[in-house]
Every structure is written in structure tokens, then in C-alpha cells.
Amino acid sequence: MYGLEATYRIKSTKAQIEARAQALAIEQSIEMPPSAVRQPELLQKVLARVAAIQEAGAGYFQVVLHFAEQTTAFETTGLLNVLFGNCALQEDIELLDLKLPPGLLSVFAGPRFGIAGLRRLAQVEGRPLTCTALKPQGLSPAQLAELAYTFALGGIDIVKDDHGLTNQPTAPFAERVRVIQEAIARANAETGGQTLYAPMLTGSPKTLHRHLDIARQAGVRVILTAPMLLGLATFQELVDDLGLAVLAHPAFAGLRISPPLMFGKLFRLLGADAVIFPNHGGRFAYSPQTCLALAQAARAPWAHIRPALPVPAGGMTVERVEEMLELYGPDTMLLIGGDLLAAKDNLLERTRQFVQKVAVGAGKV
């Protein structure tokens, strides 16, 4: 019954940590003083339990709580609320990890394609996939389509919208998706390639479904979205009805939830086939250890949940391809955008250099 396990990192003193941990257990379950509960049996059926407390560096402790799985109502928002609802408002607490009991895990389908399915779509075996982004915002559909055509000529596996491309007047979704998909299809016909286009899907539920219809009619087989911008339950419901592969963007996900848990486990659990994350040494401050733990969480065996493809990104360059391949291995998608676009008139050559480096580097891993 108490099979749901959550691990937290709490800032506290040694003298206060037991009381702090018990307060967290109360807050995330019955949310009232136990002495005020008139039905004693609820303290045995609902009140979370402190399972372990361990020092985790100066002034920090790792606390493991066990929850009654039925308190989640066996659905996404209930699970998130139990794990990190009210305590998300407490700055001294970080959610590090979770373990789901079989009954609760069975509620979630995970990625519909996973690594193997993405490889089949892109017709890529034996090497990492390559990915790039269409940017900057403000370009017209024709200008974005020209970039996409060049990327596809260069042999990129997946050309995605920048996540900031939504439905702006400069490049409305319906027009943009149609002309970019046509441009990529034209390049594929010329080269015999299999480049895929992933448009950014966002907006209200009605907008999401309207845009999804447009994408399907255009022949799109992969979409990009940001689960935290949509809301995680909405994201899960979208994946349920989708039938397309999903690239998950990390926008708005900088909460006090560990990146391996947020991107490697939660996004995967709710249906992401590939998970974009900020790689170390780029525009963000994740450590190599955090990035590798995230990638491992995305790919680790997990009952019926298919593995998701980790996608290190965020200011990466072609010169770092070998380093990234050595760290992450072949079951990875490398996303390089700005570094390719910086080549300007030499975009095609720079793109081919990226693709070639991945192909050659894969043979060394």
C-alpha cells in the first residue's frame, strides 16, 4: 500500500531534520496536524511515512518518504501533487527521485516510439541521430523553409522548429508547417535522404488539436513540444491521442526537481520519445555528472516503459561532437543549431561537416 517512494534533499540542521522530515510527510499527505485527525485509521492509510534520513553534505540531508499509492488517484496531477505540491513552495526542499510501485506504474504508457521507433522513422542505425533548429524567430515561412531545405540537403536527421516559433504573425503555424514540410520533402527527393521535420506544438487544448490536424495533413511524423508549458497532464493526454513521435523541450522546467528526474524520468513516463536538455559547457550550468545521470535515466530499463533518446543541446558546437559521443554513446541525438547557422553562406558545408563528424565518431565509440 505504501509503495510510492520519493527522495528529497532538504536544507536543515542535524537537530531539526527529524522534525523537518516529519513535517514534510504531513504536508504532502494529510496536510493537517495528526492530532486533529478524528479517524485514527487514516493515519495508517494516508499519512506519509519517513523511511530514511541521511546526511548529504554540509547543512543538507536526503530524506526518503513512502506514500500510500492510492493518494495519487492513479493519475498524473495527483502523482505530481503528492510528490511536490505544497512543498514546491518551500525553498529548502528539492525533489530528487521517485520509485513507482507496479500498480501505479501500469497507469503510464511512456514513449510510444522510444529509441527504436525514432530510429525506424529516421532510418538510422548504428550511430547517434542528428538534429538542428530553425531560428531566429521573425523569419518568414519562406526563409525558414529555405533553411530547412539546406539542412535536409546536408543530411540532418531531424529539423525542428526553435521552441520559440509558435504562431507568430511573421510565420503562422499553418503556413509555416506546410512550406517547411514541402521544402524538406523536396530535399529528400533530391538526395534520397529521410530528414524529418518537427514543428513546435503549443497553445490551448483547442489550438493544440487544430495545429495537430494541420501537421498531420502536411505529412509531419514528429512534433516538438514543451511539456511544462502545456502542463504535464495535458502533455500526457496529447501523447495519448497523437500517433506521432514526440521531442520534449525543457522550457519552463527549471524547478527544484532534479534534472535526471524531471527530464530523464517524468518526461519519459508521460510519453516523450526524445528529451532535449542543456548539456554541460554550453549556455547552461549543468555538470557532466548531472547530464550523464539524466541520459542514463532516460535510457535505463523500466518495466514496460520504452527508453527515451537523450538530446544534449544548448550552445553546442560541431567541434564538441566527439566529446559528446564519448560521454553519451550511440543512443543519443545531438542537437546543434546556432553553431551551424553562424556559418551563414557556408551553412550547407557546415551542416555536412556536423553529419560527417557524427558518422565518423560513431565508429570510434
Side-chain angles (χ1 to χ4, degrees):
M1 186 173 84
Y2 273 75
L4 172 59
E5 180 177 297
T7 302
Y8 302 85
R9 184 172 182 256
I10 300 179
K11 185 177 182 179
S12 179
T13 64
K14 196 168 185 177
Q16 296 175 327
I17 187 57
E18 288 191 17
R20 188 71 190 85
Q22 187 58 43
L24 177 62
I26 293 168
E27 188 65 44
Q28 292 306 117
S29 56
I30 60 172
E31 199 183 343
M32 63 186 292
S35 60
V37 176
R38 295 186 179 186
Q39 299 80 14
E41 67 274 11
L42 295 184
L43 300 181
Q44 302 301 317
K45 295 179 179 180
V46 178
L47 177 61
R49 299 170 182 174
V50 178
I53 299 174
Q54 183 177 343
E55 289 193 38
Y60 289 91
F61 294 83
Q62 191 166 292
V63 172
V64 177
L65 298 187
H66 287 172
F67 295 94
E69 59 190 89
Q70 72 269 17
T71 60
T72 68
F74 296 91
E75 51 90 26
T76 299
T77 51
L79 173 63
L80 297 172
N81 195 36
V82 166
L83 292 173
F84 204 55
N86 281 2
C87 69
L89 305 173
Q90 298 171 326
E91 294 182 351
D92 58 348
I93 297 176
E94 178 185 4
L95 178 61
L96 297 181
D97 202 2
L98 85 161
K99 293 181 181 178
L100 300 180
L104 184 53
L105 183 60
S106 69
V107 172
F108 301 96
R112 303 313 195 269
F113 289 77
I115 294 175
L118 279 173
R119 286 193 176 282
R120 284 193 297 271
L121 279 179
Q123 297 189 25
V124 172
E125 294 296 337
R127 65 163 174 84
L129 277 71
T130 57
C131 183
T132 193
L134 299 172
K135 58 177 74 177
Q137 184 184 141
L139 296 181
S140 69
Q143 290 170 317
L144 292 166
E146 183 61 30
L147 287 177
Y149 174 75
T150 303
F151 285 137
L153 284 181
I156 293 289
D157 296 314
I158 298 180
V159 176
K160 74 172 190 67
D161 282 346
D162 183 62
H163 80 282
L165 282 174
T166 55
N167 196 32
Q168 290 90 352
T170 51
F173 185 87
E175 182 183 355
R176 180 178 87 243
V177 170
R178 177 180 57 81
V179 299
I180 292 174
Q181 183 69 11
E182 288 173 353
I184 289 177
R186 188 170 79 252
N188 285 342
E190 293 175 17
T191 65
Q194 299 293 330
T195 299
L196 299 166
Y197 169 47
M200 177 64 178
L201 211 61
T202 189
S204 68
K206 287 183 179 179
T207 300
L208 284 173
H209 288 285
R210 185 171 68 250
H211 285 182
L212 181 55
D213 287 341
I214 292 168
R216 285 196 179 109
Q217 290 169 14
V220 164
R221 291 185 288 169
V222 184
I223 63 101
L224 170 74
T225 195
M228 291 298 288
L229 290 177
L230 296 185
L232 291 179
T234 300
F235 170 68
Q236 181 191 23
E237 192 171 86
L238 174 71
V239 173
D240 285 342
D241 301 331
L242 199 54
L244 307 176
V246 179
L247 275 62
H249 193 280
F252 206 56
L255 305 177
R256 291 188 316 281
I257 298 177
S258 73
L261 173 57
M262 175 67 87
F263 305 127
K265 282 192 174 181
L266 288 176
F267 280 15
R268 173 187 174 189
L269 183 72
L270 300 179
D273 298 292
V275 179
I276 300 169
F277 65 93
N279 193 36
H280 72 94
R283 302 196 308 270
F284 304 90
Y286 286 178
S287 69
Q289 293 78 14
T290 293
C291 293
L292 185 57
L294 190 163
Q296 290 170 338
R299 297 181 297 211
W302 195 10
H304 64 282
I305 305 294
R306 293 180 181 90
L309 200 63
V311 188
M316 297 300 100
T317 65
V318 173
E319 286 70 30
R320 293 191 62 189
V321 164
E322 290 185 11
E323 168 205 332
M324 289 190 285
L325 292 183
E326 185 175 346
L327 181 63
Y328 296 112
D331 276 336
T332 306
M333 184 190 302
L334 301 187
L335 169 53
I336 299 179
D339 182 61
L340 302 186
L341 292 166
K344 297 183 179 178
D345 292 343
N346 296 316
L347 177 61
L348 180 57
E349 291 75 15
R350 186 64 165 167
T351 300
R352 286 173 171 161
Q353 183 185 8
F354 171 35
V355 170
Q356 182 66 16
K357 266 188 170 285
V358 171
V360 171
K364 300 177 181 178
V365 175

